[in-house]
Amino acid sequence: MSDRLYFRQLLAGRDFAVGDPVATQMVNFAYLIGDTETREAVIVDPAYAVGDLLDVLAEDDMRLTGVLATHHHPDHVGGTMMGFTLPGLSELLALQPVPVHVNNAEAEWVRRTTGVSDSDLRGHDHDDVVEVGDIPIRLLHTPGHTSGSQCFLVAGKLVSGDTLFLEGCGRTDFPGGDSEAIYASLRELANLPGDPVVYPGHQYSADPSANLSHVRDTNFVFQARNLDEWRRMFG
């Protein structure tokens, strides 16, 4: 099915939400994933200028059928942070009502952060699959940055949210964060077969993506050989 895959990585402040100072500062990535035959697509982590993301889909002749949320922080799904109120899920669903796929452990956080209703959310467990047309997207529960953080594996691509960056990993000192949980999640990601390309939630590195084998070799978060070393490094 990889020949039918529609996949776009869009950088906030450059590819959408151009001129938005918060988007430009936060350098979030949003992702569009779909099936080029059925023309169905989902958005991963819509925030800032959600209308811009819908415009990109329309220009590509794709139809929005759902949203995938990596976690509940407002720069990924909308809400209030740093004194700013960011558009996100609530504004998107007002324009295009579609289901929002979240991890079960994150559903209440997403609801409270964005103001969407329970009926808008579809809760999932680890290793559930969401199909977009005939493109399967595997949902990986990767707690640590938040309790219900999840990554998405599709056709040799790993959309890793704020769990794993090309350099570093997500913070664990926000509510719901857990340093030992993210250590376990990173170990799980490191052992994924097939050397997928990692597509992170922010551009905190020069490159926007890299093969997992390269990230394992160069990212300092993989230097800890066991949990005791992790505690000493990141305690």
Side-chain angles (χ1 to χ4, degrees):
M1 289 296 175
S2 60
D3 58 330
R4 294 173 55 168
L5 178 68
Y6 167 83
F7 187 91
R8 294 193 63 174
Q9 180 191 55
L10 302 174
L11 181 62
R14 184 194 69 188
D15 302 321
F16 69 104
V18 176
D20 184 315
V22 181
T24 302
Q25 175 184 345
M26 296 297 290
V27 289
N28 286 85
F29 284 120
Y31 294 90
L32 311 179
I33 305 173
D35 182 331
T36 58
E37 288 197 15
T38 68
R39 315 310 300 179
E40 298 169 86
V42 296
I43 300 176
V44 177
D45 288 357
Y48 306 109
V50 295
D52 291 358
L53 298 173
L54 291 175
D55 287 345
V56 173
L57 286 176
E59 290 166 4
D60 291 344
D61 192 28
M62 301 296 288
R63 176 172 58 88
L64 184 68
T65 59
V67 169
L68 301 179
T70 61
H71 64 292
H72 74 273
H73 288 158
D75 55 319
H76 294 262
V77 294
T80 300
M81 63 179 292
M82 302 186 303
F84 295 93
T85 298
L86 309 179
L89 291 180
S90 180
E91 291 75 13
L92 178 66
L93 298 187
L95 298 170
Q96 188 80 49
V98 292
V100 178
H101 300 279
V102 299
N103 184 268
N104 280 315
E106 200 79 355
E108 179 60 18
W109 290 93
V110 170
R111 189 191 64 77
R112 285 188 291 170
T113 300
T114 65
V116 301
S117 68
D118 289 335
S119 61
D120 294 320
L121 304 178
R122 304 291 185 273
H124 292 277
D125 295 318
H126 177 68
D127 249 355
D128 280 0
V129 172
V130 170
E131 292 192 349
V132 185
D134 284 334
I135 301 293
I137 303 174
R138 182 181 168 199
L139 278 52
L140 307 177
H141 183 204
T142 54
H145 182 58
T146 67
S147 58
S149 286
Q150 59 180 350
C151 301
F152 309 118
L153 193 61
V154 53
K157 303 177 190 296
L158 175 66
V159 179
S160 58
D162 284 7
T163 298
L164 174 63
F165 304 125
L166 304 192
E167 301 173 5
C169 65
R171 295 173 59 167
T172 59
D173 57 339
F174 293 136
D178 185 316
S179 177
E180 294 188 9
I182 204 169
Y183 168 77
S185 294
L186 292 171
R187 300 266 292 201
E188 291 291 328
L189 293 180
N191 290 323
L192 287 172
D195 198 19
V197 178
V198 178
Y199 288 87
H202 294 263
Q203 184 154 16
Y204 290 159
S205 54
D207 294 324
S209 62
N211 284 89
L212 179 59
S213 58
H214 176 77
V215 178
R216 280 198 310 260
D217 290 342
T218 59
N219 192 330
F220 67 91
V221 301
F222 293 117
Q223 292 179 2
R225 293 170 295 180
N226 53 55
L227 186 55
D228 285 339
E229 287 191 6
W230 177 267
R231 288 174 179 142
R232 289 195 293 270
M233 290 172 64
F234 300 101

